[in-house]
Amino acid sequence: MKKKLFALLMALVMVLSLAACGGDKGGDAQQPAGSGDSSASGDSSGAQQSTLPVGYDMETDTNNYGPYYDEWSDMTDEELYEMAKQEAANGAKEITVYATSSKMLKAEDPFETLYPELDLVVADLDSDEVLSKAQIENETNNITADVLQTKDVNGEVFHEYYANGVIVPFYPKDICSHISEENLKYSYPLYSSQAFWYYNTEAFPDGQPIHSWWEIIEKDEAGNQKFALYTKEIGQETAYLSLFASFINNADEMEQSYKDTYGKDLEYTYDASSFNFEVPENNAGVEYLWRFTQAKMTFIGDGDELVLAVHNSTADKPALALASAGKIENREESGYNIDWCINLSPYTALLNTESMFVVSGCDNPAGARLFIRYITGGADCQSGGLEPFTKVGNWPLRDDFVDEKNPAKLADLGARANDLVSIYEIYPDVQDMWMYWLNQ
C-alpha cells in the first residue's frame, strides 16, 4: 500500500511538472476527454516512453505492480461509449484488435450490435506476429492496432513490450474488484489455462497415483522408472520451461516437498561446472530439472495423442502425460480413461493467463477500453464477451463468473499465479540447462 501511495504521489508530481513546462504526452498519454487532452484520439508521439508507474523499479520492486488505476479505470461503459463514438466521428473508424485466439472473431457482431456506430475489426494472428506487428507499428509511429490480446508466461511481454511503452495497462476498477490481486500483478486477464499430468483411471481406480512432482520421476528398488512419461518437447515449450524456472525460484518449497514425500532430506547430485553462468548450489529446483532431463520420456507434439498414450497404458505399465487441461474433453468425446492429477506438491502448475492490453498511441483509446470491458464480461459479467472463451480448460478469473464447463473450480486444482519478474531473470539459463542435460 505504501508503494502504491508513493507511486500515485510521484505521478501527481510528474503531471504537475509536465503541465508547468508544457511536456509532451508520450506513451499512453491518451487522457480521457476533459482531462486536458483536446483530442479524443491518443497522441502517439513518444510512444517508446515507458509507461510503468512512476516510482516503480523493475530491478528491485517485484511486489505490488498491478493493479494500476488511472482516470480511465473509473469510467463506465456508457462514458466510454460516448467517447468512442466521438473518436469514430473524428475519423478513427475502426477499433482494431490483434488477437492470438480465433475465438476473438466471434466478438465482432455482438459488440457492434451492443454498440451501434462502432466498427470492430479483429485480426487473428500468431502470438509472435501480434507482438512483432505492434513493435513495428510503435517504432514507425504508424499504429493500426488499438487492442492486443496475448499471453505472457516468461516475462517477455511485460519486460520488452509493456515496460517499453508498446502496450499500456488498463485496469477497470469495478471489474478488478472481482479478480484476486495476485492475478492482476502484471496484466489485466481475459482468462487463464494450465497444463496437467494425466493418469489412467482404469489403471488407478482409487485415484491419482502421484501427489508430488518428485513421484513423477520416481524409480523402483531395481532402479527402473515407475511411469512411462509422455510430453511435448519441454525445451520448445515456453510455458513448461517457465514452470521449471519457478521450481528453481521456489527451491525451498521443492526441497520441503521432497522431504514430505519421502521422509528424508534431498540429496543433491547435479554438476553445474559445465555452464558459463552461475548455477545456484544445492537448489532443489535445479536438482529436479537435472533428474527430470535424465528420465526416459517420449516427446509427442499433439495433445490428443499424449492423452491417448495414457488411455492405452495399463496398471502393469503405467503412464503419465503432461498436456493442456482442455484435453480432458477426450474423456467424454472419445471415451478415454483419463483424469487430471491435481494438487501436486509443491504446486500443480502455473496459470497461463491470456491478457488484454491497450496499444500505446492508438487512435481509439476510449473504444479500446470499452471493448476490453466488454470482452471480459462488463460491469455485471453479463456482456456476453466471455462466452467464446468459455470452455473446458479455460478459467475466467472473475469471482462472479459462473463456470459451468469445467469439472473443477480453479481454486481447487493447486495452480498458482506466475511471477514474471523472477522467471524472466533466469529463463535463458533454464533453457540452456535443459538442452545441455537432456543430451547427456
Side-chain angles (χ1 to χ4, degrees):
M1 181 61 72
K2 289 181 179 179
K3 290 178 181 177
K4 290 184 178 180
L5 179 59
F6 174 74
L8 291 172
L9 290 173
M10 289 297 292
L12 179 59
V13 170
M14 174 167 275
V15 170
L16 292 175
S17 64
L18 286 173
C21 62
D24 99 8
K25 306 188 297 284
D28 186 37
Q30 312 155 5
Q31 297 298 328
S35 65
D37 182 7
S38 60
S39 163
S41 62
D43 183 330
S44 59
S45 62
Q48 292 286 351
Q49 178 180 331
S50 174
T51 54
L52 286 170
V54 178
Y56 179 80
D57 184 346
M58 293 188 68
E59 296 298 325
T60 60
D61 188 356
T62 59
N63 299 310
N64 300 323
Y65 168 65
Y68 177 58
Y69 298 123
D70 56 19
E71 289 181 281
W72 293 103
S73 301
D74 290 313
M75 289 196 170
T76 64
D77 296 327
E78 293 73 21
E79 290 172 320
L80 290 169
Y81 181 35
E82 291 303 314
M83 294 173 65
K85 287 191 292 184
Q86 187 60 50
E87 291 169 350
N90 289 344
K93 298 297 185 182
E94 298 175 344
I95 301 170
T96 302
V97 181
Y98 288 173
T100 59
S101 171
S102 60
K103 294 181 175 62
M104 192 69 74
L105 294 166
K106 297 180 179 180
E108 289 186 351
D109 289 342
F111 180 79
E112 292 173 357
T113 299
L114 187 60
Y115 296 108
E117 301 182 49
L118 301 184
D119 184 13
L120 182 71
V121 176
V122 175
D124 178 20
L125 307 169
D126 293 334
S127 179
D128 290 342
E129 194 175 5
V130 163
L131 295 170
S132 64
K133 284 176 69 67
Q135 178 72 48
I136 293 170
E137 291 177 11
N138 180 271
E139 291 173 349
T140 60
N141 199 23
N142 185 26
I143 295 170
T144 299
D146 299 291
V147 177
L148 253 63
Q149 175 242 322
T150 190
K151 178 167 58 179
D152 192 7
V153 295
N154 68 346
E156 178 185 4
V157 175
F158 179 72
H159 287 82
E160 299 174 21
Y161 297 87
Y162 205 161
N164 291 330
V166 177
I167 49 181
V168 295
F170 172 51
Y171 288 104
K173 191 177 292 185
D174 56 345
I175 301 177
C176 288
S177 68
H178 293 286
I179 303 173
S180 170
E181 192 160 310
E182 69 176 358
N183 292 318
L184 295 169
K185 185 173 182 179
Y186 299 109
S187 63
Y188 176 66
L190 176 60
Y191 65 88
S192 281
S193 59
Q194 62 181 293
F196 289 98
W197 285 99
Y198 286 78
Y199 73 98
N200 186 305
T201 54
E202 190 173 72
F204 298 96
D206 295 331
Q208 64 189 65
I210 58 170
H211 296 87
S212 82
W213 274 82
W214 294 101
E215 291 176 304
I216 295 166
I217 54 175
E218 191 172 286
K219 296 181 179 180
D220 60 23
E221 293 181 355
N224 298 313
Q225 199 167 298
K226 188 173 181 180
F227 299 100
L229 301 181
Y230 297 88
T231 178
K232 294 182 178 180
E233 209 289 83
I234 290 173
Q236 300 175 12
E237 296 292 320
T238 307
Y240 292 169
L241 279 180
S242 296
L243 176 61
F244 280 87
S246 78
F247 290 156
I248 295 173
N249 288 328
N250 297 299
D252 55 338
E253 295 182 60
M254 288 295 289
E255 189 173 49
Q256 186 61 49
S257 172
Y258 183 91
K259 189 168 185 175
D260 292 342
T261 301
Y262 299 109
K264 60 183 180 180
D265 291 334
L266 174 64
E267 179 183 354
Y268 293 94
T269 61
Y270 65 90
D271 177 11
S273 62
S274 300
F275 302 103
N276 60 1
F277 50 83
E278 184 177 353
V279 177
E281 296 181 1
N282 294 340
N283 181 291
V286 176
E287 179 67 27
Y288 189 83
L289 179 65
W290 156 247
R291 294 191 186 189
F292 194 93
T293 60
Q294 302 311 294
K296 294 180 180 179
M297 288 173 282
T298 300
F299 295 138
I300 301 176
D302 183 81
D304 293 315
E305 292 183 15
L306 284 169
V307 294
L308 176 60
V310 171
H311 171 70
N312 289 333
S313 65
T314 64
D316 293 333
K317 295 182 178 180
L320 300 172
L322 183 61
S324 63
K327 297 307 174 183
I328 196 69
E329 288 186 306
N330 282 287
R331 186 168 58 184
E332 301 298 328
E333 295 175 357
S334 305
Y336 289 2
N337 300 314
I338 57 173
D339 203 356
W340 299 329
C341 294
I342 65 173
N343 290 312
L344 297 183
S345 171
Y347 44 91
T348 307
L350 294 180
L351 295 181
N352 299 321
T353 302
E354 296 285 349
S355 298
M356 305 301 300
F357 299 94
V358 177
V359 176
S360 179
C362 67
D363 291 333
N364 296 278
R369 288 167 171 85
L370 178 64
F371 175 74
I372 289 173
R373 287 181 58 87
Y374 164 81
I375 203 67
T376 55
D380 57 2
C381 206
Q382 299 299 313
S383 72
L386 283 169
E387 290 181 7
F389 307 99
T390 303
K391 62 182 288 290
V392 176
N394 291 351
W395 285 269
L397 298 174
R398 296 180 59 148
D399 62 15
D400 57 347
F401 175 80
V402 179
D403 187 354
E404 298 178 343
K405 297 287 185 179
N406 283 296
K409 294 181 179 180
L410 186 62
D412 298 332
L413 301 174
R416 66 171 53 171
N418 198 334
D419 184 351
L420 295 178
V421 169
S422 62
I423 286 177
Y424 183 79
E425 292 175 353
I426 69 168
Y427 180 87
D429 294 346
V430 174
Q431 190 170 37
D432 286 347
M433 285 189 284
W434 169 268
M435 297 303 296
Y436 180 77
W437 279 338
L438 184 68
N439 293 321
Q440 287 193 344

